[in-house]
Amino acid sequence: MRLCGCGFKCGITEVFSRYGKKTHEKEAVMGEDGRCFPRKDTQAYRLLELVAVCGEFPAELVYRLAGSTSYKGTVTWLLKKERLLRVYYRDKLRGYRLGRRARTALLSDNPERFSFYLTGNVDTSLLKSEATRRIRLHRIAEVYVAMLNAGVTIFRDEKPRVFAPDGDQDRGLEGAAFYSSREVKETGIEAVKIKGSRMAGVLLSPDGVFLTYNSGPYMAKWDYRAEQRAKAWMQVTLCNGNAGLGYAPEDVCGLLFGDSLEPFCQILSGADSGARCFFLLDGSYGHFYYLTNDHKGEVMLGLLCDRDRREELDRILSQGLCAGNPGGVIENDALDGNGDPVLFGYLLDIPRIHRFCSALQLQERHGTLICFDFQREVLERCYGGLVAFEAISFEKFERRFYPEI
């Protein structure tokens, strides 16, 4: 491929000229067929990449990608105009799918990255019209965007093929990487053990393994036995089968995304009711984190994968407090001046927060839970009167820890 010249009358030239851009030569290349295609490392190409790995990309999710709203709107309009993207609308679900020319170009450009998604009889290649299948693709797309914005590796050519029988497990992980549920099933016949699990995939970070779920705007409905099998299989596969990754069975945790904090509140407030989420609260998982499908959730995800930043934040929060008692009856990260336990709950670890508050109630003790300001209202609804709260300003935290955002 070669750069398209200024005289090439294509949609990209017209659009970037219209908006006063003088960089259209950097934004597009012209293929052998004489038609324009976005160049790598451009917003347009990155959007096509995401649509390729997701199969169908929710139209409303474009706003969470990097770049200004007007620019993203222009890029999306252009891709549709050039028929590289096509809109599919049915059952009140609007999504973007790759055009035929975009599929061909991506496969030719980087088969290692895209052939897994764009060839064969799979949901991301032979797209269906059923609402349930499309919603599943949309949920996974939301997870992909969160991972990408948090700096987690998602593309196959940039991470070791941990779950493939002929994979390169010895390559080792460099940072955090996310594997979709279909990538996990590359293991082969053994993957039948996770049939029925609702997980969208698995996040592997230097600190742990996170079975990842996305409930969207609803309360998650769990198949207890299926999720237990998924966890046990992951422990065997990653902690025993691939011992070189260095994970221990207790490193296998859970990660749940939701569109708001309301489902998180319902999980905790229903702890002692008939609707109790036994899967999250019965001790099956030592840690199961809840994040929102928005910018704040992406920042929290980045923090979850960054031990150095977490330790620095904990050090700041510990100022003025006494050292914690790891062996105490009540789980804690520090003790206040009265010797009462303090928990750093800013990552919304569902079972850990529940254990802390339940133990305070049983022991008739006082305690403090430290969270971010946007989390406080929900936590107070669940445990108000039982626990004292201290809130961290998310704005100040982000300005100090993530100045590049």
Side-chain angles (χ1 to χ4, degrees):
M1 290 186 174
R2 62 184 176 83
L3 285 176
C4 64
C6 295
F8 182 59
K9 294 182 180 180
C10 63
I12 290 181
T13 300
E14 294 172 0
V15 168
F16 283 94
S17 296
R18 182 184 308 167
Y19 281 83
K21 302 291 184 180
K22 298 181 180 179
T23 58
H24 62 275
E25 291 188 1
K26 298 180 181 179
E27 299 290 337
V29 293
M30 188 169 62
E32 296 177 357
D33 59 358
R35 301 184 70 182
C36 200
F37 193 79
R39 190 179 180 180
K40 286 184 178 180
D41 300 323
T42 63
Q43 184 76 290
Y45 192 89
R46 286 191 288 268
L47 178 55
L48 292 177
E49 285 184 312
L50 278 173
V51 177
V53 300
C54 297
E56 180 173 316
F57 192 81
E60 68 275 7
L61 197 57
V62 173
Y63 84 94
R64 284 177 57 188
L65 302 179
S68 69
T69 301
S70 60
Y71 183 73
K72 286 182 289 189
T74 301
V75 167
T76 304
W77 174 85
L78 172 60
L79 292 174
K80 290 187 291 184
K81 180 178 183 296
E82 294 291 318
R83 297 185 179 180
L84 297 172
L85 278 186
R86 58 190 182 94
V87 180
Y88 189 84
Y89 182 77
R90 185 171 180 175
D91 298 318
K92 298 182 180 180
L93 294 173
R94 185 184 300 276
Y96 295 131
R97 297 180 174 186
L98 286 182
R100 182 177 301 177
R101 190 161 64 90
R103 291 167 62 97
T104 302
L106 290 175
L107 280 170
S108 175
D109 185 52
N110 193 341
E112 185 181 358
R113 175 172 294 189
F114 299 114
S115 60
F116 180 79
Y117 305 99
L118 300 180
T119 60
N121 184 19
V122 295
D123 280 350
T124 52
S125 178
L126 298 179
L127 296 165
K128 309 297 182 182
S129 61
E130 294 91 338
T132 53
R133 287 175 178 258
R134 295 180 63 211
I135 290 173
R136 171 76 174 169
L137 292 179
H138 286 206
R139 294 285 178 267
I140 295 177
E142 290 172 343
V143 174
Y144 269 127
V145 169
M147 297 291 170
L148 189 65
N149 289 344
V152 177
T153 301
I154 64 171
F155 295 115
R156 288 173 63 80
D157 56 318
E158 297 178 346
K159 61 189 179 185
R161 293 176 59 192
V162 172
F163 296 97
D166 59 342
D168 50 351
Q169 291 93 338
D170 294 336
R171 173 176 163 186
L173 283 170
E174 297 179 2
F178 176 74
Y179 297 80
S180 69
S181 55
R182 185 169 162 249
E183 290 179 282
V184 172
K185 292 175 183 176
E186 278 191 283
T187 305
I189 191 65
E190 286 293 313
V192 73
K193 295 178 182 178
I194 63 173
K195 184 178 181 180
S197 171
R198 289 182 172 272
M199 71 174 181
V202 177
L203 168 63
L204 303 184
S205 82
D207 290 336
V209 177
F210 302 88
L211 277 70
T212 305
Y213 303 81
N214 184 10
S215 63
Y218 308 108
M219 276 284 289
K221 294 182 180 179
W222 308 102
D223 182 333
Y224 185 87
R225 289 175 296 180
E227 304 307 343
Q228 288 291 78
R229 287 196 303 269
K231 179 193 174 188
W233 181 79
M234 204 63 64
Q235 289 175 323
V236 171
T237 303
L238 295 178
C239 304
N240 298 327
N242 292 324
L245 292 174
Y247 293 120
E250 58 270 19
D251 292 331
V252 177
C253 308
L255 177 61
L256 174 61
F257 285 92
D259 285 359
S260 70
L261 288 173
E262 192 57 36
F264 170 77
C265 180
Q266 293 175 22
I267 291 170
L268 292 179
S269 60
D272 297 317
S273 69
R276 173 174 175 155
C277 295
F278 289 100
F279 176 61
L280 301 178
L281 302 174
D282 69 350
S284 298
Y285 277 89
H287 304 280
F288 209 112
Y289 301 92
Y290 186 94
L291 304 177
T292 48
N293 282 315
D294 56 18
H295 172 70
K296 291 185 175 70
E298 293 163 0
V299 174
M300 292 295 97
L301 177 60
L303 187 60
L304 181 64
C305 298
D306 192 331
R307 181 188 301 175
D308 291 339
R309 280 189 169 112
R310 290 200 315 274
E311 290 179 349
E312 174 63 12
L313 178 57
D314 289 349
R315 184 191 65 79
I316 294 172
L317 296 178
S318 297
Q319 293 177 0
L321 298 173
C322 303
N325 179 12
V329 176
I330 301 175
E331 201 164 349
N332 64 87
D333 294 304
L335 302 175
D336 64 17
N338 298 320
D340 291 325
V342 178
L343 189 78
F344 301 158
Y346 53 83
L347 282 175
L348 295 187
D349 186 342
I350 297 171
R352 192 164 188 251
I353 291 174
H354 178 65
R355 290 194 301 265
F356 176 73
C357 296
S358 297
L360 287 177
Q361 187 175 29
L362 289 173
Q363 297 291 323
E364 297 183 346
R365 294 275 303 277
H366 296 287
T368 302
L369 196 154
I370 300 179
C371 61
F372 281 105
D373 47 10
F374 70 92
Q375 302 164 340
R376 181 169 185 165
E377 187 271 332
V378 167
L379 286 166
E380 284 184 333
R381 266 195 285 155
C382 297
Y383 297 112
L386 179 65
V387 183
F389 293 92
E390 292 185 8
I392 313 164
S393 168
F394 180 80
E395 182 181 350
K396 292 180 180 179
F397 158 78
E398 188 175 24
R399 192 161 56 241
R400 173 165 181 170
F401 284 81
Y402 295 93
E404 67 278 10
I405 297 179

